[in-house]
Amino acid sequence: MASRTSLEYLESLKDGRAVYYRGRRVDDVTKHEFLSIAVKHAAMLYEFKRDGKFSEMANYSDPDIGLMSMFYKIPKSSEDLLKRHELIKESTRYCNGIFNIIQAIGSDALFSLLITSAKSGDSVLRQRVQKYYRYVVENDLAMAVAQTDVKGDRSLRPHEQADPDLYVRVVESNSDGIVVCGAKAHTTQSIAANEIIFIPTRAMVEKDKDYAVAFAIPANARGLKLVCRPVQEVEGLGTDDAPLSSKNLEIETLTILDHVFVPWERVFLFQDWKLAGELANTFATYHRFTAISYRSVMAELFIGAARLAARYNGIDAAPHVRDDIIEMILYKEILDMAAKAAAHHPLFDDRTGIAIPNPLYTNIAKLYSNKQFPNIVGALVDIAGGLTSTLPTTDDLNSPEIGTYVSKYLQGSTRYSGEQRFKLMRLIREIAGGPMTGYLMGLFIHAEGSMAASKIALYRDYKFERAEELVSKLAGVPI
Ligand SMILES: Cc1cc2nc3c(=O)[nH]c(=O)nc-3n(C[C@H](O)[C@H](O)[C@H](O)COP(=O)(O)OP(=O)(O)OC[C@H]3O[C@@H](n4cnc5c(N)ncnc54)[C@H](O)[C@@H]3O)c2cc1C
């Protein structure tokens, strides 16, 4: 199969998966009032790939496999990584500035599994991963990746936890496969995925070996339960007052494994505790490269909103407004530059020849994007004013009794009507002053790994030798 239609994709989700929303089982995610937003958002990636304007960028003709999604093309050069960066950005733009994870994260995990299975020296395991990769690509599947365990007491290792299920673990193995229990947190778009890949979240020691497990299961696997977060962005406001998240939104789940059976052909790491950390890190590098790529486009939402708000408020020439917007430009362009630098200076895996984005540049930009995001929101609020908190609703604007007052008193610069300013402020309120803002704050600070995780990787990989030699020579002291 080359490229599925969005309709074929949506049909594939009607498979009896166990999805829960506010405590109730959902029969069909494609029809649910709120969950269908996330599912349709995922479907947009299939529309993007079939859109003539993007088909060259989004599809690849592999000599062996045939026509396939460009997301799944294994990067072997800087050029491949640069194309991937552009693909992630363009598909984010296509989805109104909201990242579409549905093939990006799966490919990030598949590339890291291809690398680590080759490193394991186990040819059966290597072939299993290759076969699974082919299955995903040939069927143009939608994927989620569950890496983050619920983790319990963060100061304890998996085997030290009071409840042994706080990290996903193998509870049984037999000649057919393994049985796994536990839960992963914050799994993005698992409800919209065909398959979910599970990988370890951290380095492990020998006593953690039952937790050193990676595998893939279909989203309707028996014993798998997907508990969605509530979509407060649209639940309370209604769709009119949530112009962005009523169209484009991703949903995370608490992903529970209650004695789920996984056949051996879907097990990609088993008790090899020494490789767990490497798999976790390699995935993190790919996924952070994905992050800095999509975040640079999400920043455009804030830049665009700030520029328009400045004009609508009649303050576009004010120096402090320009300073705010310059902060946003720095944010966007630093991420973009770092992603390009990471693509231009990749590492190459010895065994597979797969190109890995430069981890140092990737982690620097990821950390920068975490730390600076609150300032970007603050800059937009500064320009837009208190309406980010107090804007009346669309019902007020449309009311025969008070609508004319609302548009009269929302007039800003005479270049625009009060109603036009209301509509702009409605979007700004959503991204800078509503439930979506809180969600984005969590996403920008934590998704793709906490700040501490990036700092650990950065400090571990940084080459201090030259700086130390310089000072040692100058001071005449040993290193
Ligand atoms: C919107 C969103 C989408 C996400 N999507 C996915 C996804 O699709 N798949 C997936 O697998 N994950 C996903 N994540 C998870 C994300 O990677 C984690 O949120 C992140 O790694 C932080 O983990 P945590 O949430 O458990 O927080 P914690 O790790 O508990 O972090 C809270 C604080 O504790 C600190 N801390 C943690 N452990 C220690 C320790 N041992 N010692 C000292 N300090 C410590 C952290 O540095 C941080 O300051 C997503 C998260 C968000 C917010």
Side-chain angles (χ1 to χ4, degrees):
M1 185 191 295
S3 172
R4 288 195 290 182
T5 64
S6 56
L7 220 61
E8 284 166 339
Y9 156 70
L10 288 169
E11 279 303 305
S12 74
L13 303 180
K14 297 175 183 175
D15 58 2
R17 57 192 56 209
V19 172
Y20 293 83
Y21 189 80
R22 290 197 174 274
R24 293 228 172 103
R25 176 104 183 230
V26 174
D27 282 343
D28 180 352
V29 286
T30 68
K31 301 232 163 72
H32 186 271
E33 185 179 7
F34 305 120
L35 303 188
S36 60
I37 302 172
V39 165
K40 283 177 192 149
H41 171 74
M44 278 181 82
L45 195 79
Y46 288 92
E47 287 159 20
F48 168 77
K49 291 195 291 158
R50 291 186 147 242
D51 185 321
K53 264 193 281 174
F54 306 106
S55 56
E56 200 177 320
M57 146 181 278
N59 299 291
Y60 173 66
S61 181
D62 182 86
D64 195 22
I65 299 176
L67 200 62
M68 60 181 263
S69 167
M70 187 63 94
F71 279 98
Y72 292 124
K73 181 178 190 303
I74 299 170
K76 292 282 174 86
S77 63
S78 284
E79 201 195 341
D80 285 344
L81 288 170
L82 280 171
K83 282 187 177 164
R84 186 168 172 81
H85 164 66
E86 292 302 332
L87 174 64
I88 293 163
K89 285 198 321 189
E90 212 49 66
S91 53
T92 304
R93 238 176 241 126
Y94 187 84
C95 297
N96 294 320
I98 299 294
F99 176 45
N100 199 323
I101 203 169
I102 213 68
Q103 289 194 328
I105 195 169
S107 45
D108 288 336
L110 286 166
F111 302 155
S112 25
L113 282 167
L114 287 165
I115 291 170
T116 41
S117 64
K119 185 162 187 185
S120 73
D122 180 339
S123 58
V124 175
L125 199 72
R126 189 175 183 177
Q127 280 162 17
R128 242 185 238 164
V129 174
Q130 285 168 342
K131 197 171 158 205
Y132 181 70
Y133 164 80
R134 217 177 150 119
Y135 167 74
V136 170
V137 176
E138 286 180 349
N139 292 286
D140 199 21
L141 294 183
M143 308 290 293
V145 175
Q147 175 177 44
T148 312
D149 290 275
V150 291
K151 297 191 293 210
D153 182 334
R154 271 66 178 148
S155 67
L156 302 177
R157 292 190 169 279
H159 78 273
E160 295 168 336
Q161 299 289 335
D163 180 338
D165 290 340
L166 294 176
Y167 282 76
V168 166
R169 65 179 179 133
V170 180
V171 292
E172 198 188 317
S173 66
N174 56 42
S175 57
D176 297 328
I178 60 173
V179 177
V180 286
C181 278
K184 298 276 188 178
H186 333 294
T187 317
T188 304
Q189 292 289 66
S190 58
I191 60 158
N194 299 116
E195 291 269 322
I196 307 175
I197 297 178
F198 289 74
I199 56 173
T201 198
R202 55 171 295 161
M204 309 230 174
V205 295
E206 193 168 2
K207 283 188 175 166
D208 295 321
K209 70 177 180 347
D210 289 336
Y211 298 89
V213 62
F215 56 92
I217 50 174
N220 66 350
R222 204 161 159 199
L224 173 69
K225 297 172 199 315
L226 305 172
V227 183
C228 295
R229 70 171 174 87
V231 188
Q232 285 150 329
E233 293 82 354
V234 278
E235 272 181 347
L237 294 173
T239 52
D240 285 343
D241 288 303
L244 177 61
S245 47
S246 60
K247 293 190 203 79
N248 295 94
L249 182 85
E250 302 208 302
I251 289 177
E252 286 71 31
T253 59
L254 175 64
T255 304
I256 300 166
L257 298 157
D258 182 3
H259 294 87
V260 175
F261 170 72
V262 188
W264 283 116
E265 60 169 7
R266 294 296 191 86
V267 179
F268 309 133
L269 181 82
F270 178 67
Q271 296 189 330
D272 190 348
W273 56 272
K274 286 186 185 151
L275 264 189
E278 184 153 340
L279 175 54
N281 282 332
T282 311
F283 167 73
T285 302
Y286 278 111
H287 199 41
R288 288 175 194 164
F289 178 73
T290 295
I292 57 177
S293 303
Y294 82 69
R295 286 172 183 216
S296 83
V297 174
M298 286 187 79
E300 285 176 0
L301 275 176
F302 287 82
I303 297 176
R307 286 271 294 175
L308 293 192
R311 246 181 254 148
Y312 276 62
N313 284 352
I315 52 169
D316 37 334
H320 75 281
V321 168
R322 294 197 169 184
D323 284 351
D324 280 339
I325 293 175
I326 285 166
E327 275 304 311
M328 295 175 171
I329 295 170
L330 287 179
Y331 186 84
K332 185 211 167 321
E333 297 301 332
I334 285 174
L335 296 194
D336 223 30
M337 281 168 7
K340 289 190 172 88
H344 274 296
H345 300 279
L347 305 180
F348 287 98
D349 177 55
D350 296 345
R351 292 172 188 80
T352 58
I354 301 180
I356 306 169
N358 184 290
L360 182 69
Y361 298 152
T362 302
N363 276 303
I364 288 173
K366 158 70 173 47
L367 187 57
Y368 179 81
S369 81
N370 301 139
K371 279 168 114 85
Q372 290 302 317
F373 183 69
N375 294 340
I376 300 308
V377 177
L380 178 56
V381 172
D382 183 34
I383 293 172
L387 287 176
T388 43
S389 299
T390 69
L391 185 75
T393 64
T394 306
D395 288 343
D396 298 313
L397 181 78
N398 293 338
S399 158
E401 278 178 55
I402 41 146
T404 46
Y405 294 106
V406 173
S407 44
K408 174 178 162 69
Y409 292 116
L410 277 171
Q411 174 80 54
S413 158
T414 50
R415 282 180 281 176
Y416 309 98
S417 70
E419 186 178 344
Q420 285 169 331
R421 186 158 170 264
F422 173 88
K423 286 185 177 165
L424 175 66
M425 290 298 169
R426 185 170 65 177
L427 176 64
I428 292 175
R429 182 187 185 279
E430 188 186 11
I431 60 174
M436 179 78 166
T437 318
Y439 169 77
L440 289 176
M441 204 63 94
L443 186 153
F444 271 77
I445 291 174
H446 273 299
E448 298 96 22
S450 66
M451 289 191 263
S454 278
K455 284 182 191 167
I456 290 167
L458 204 160
Y459 203 80
R460 186 192 53 217
D461 297 339
Y462 196 74
K463 306 268 179 280
F464 288 103
E465 292 82 355
R466 286 198 165 169
E468 288 178 356
E469 275 165 19
L470 182 69
V471 171
S472 145
K473 199 169 124 207
L474 254 177
V477 294
I479 290 173

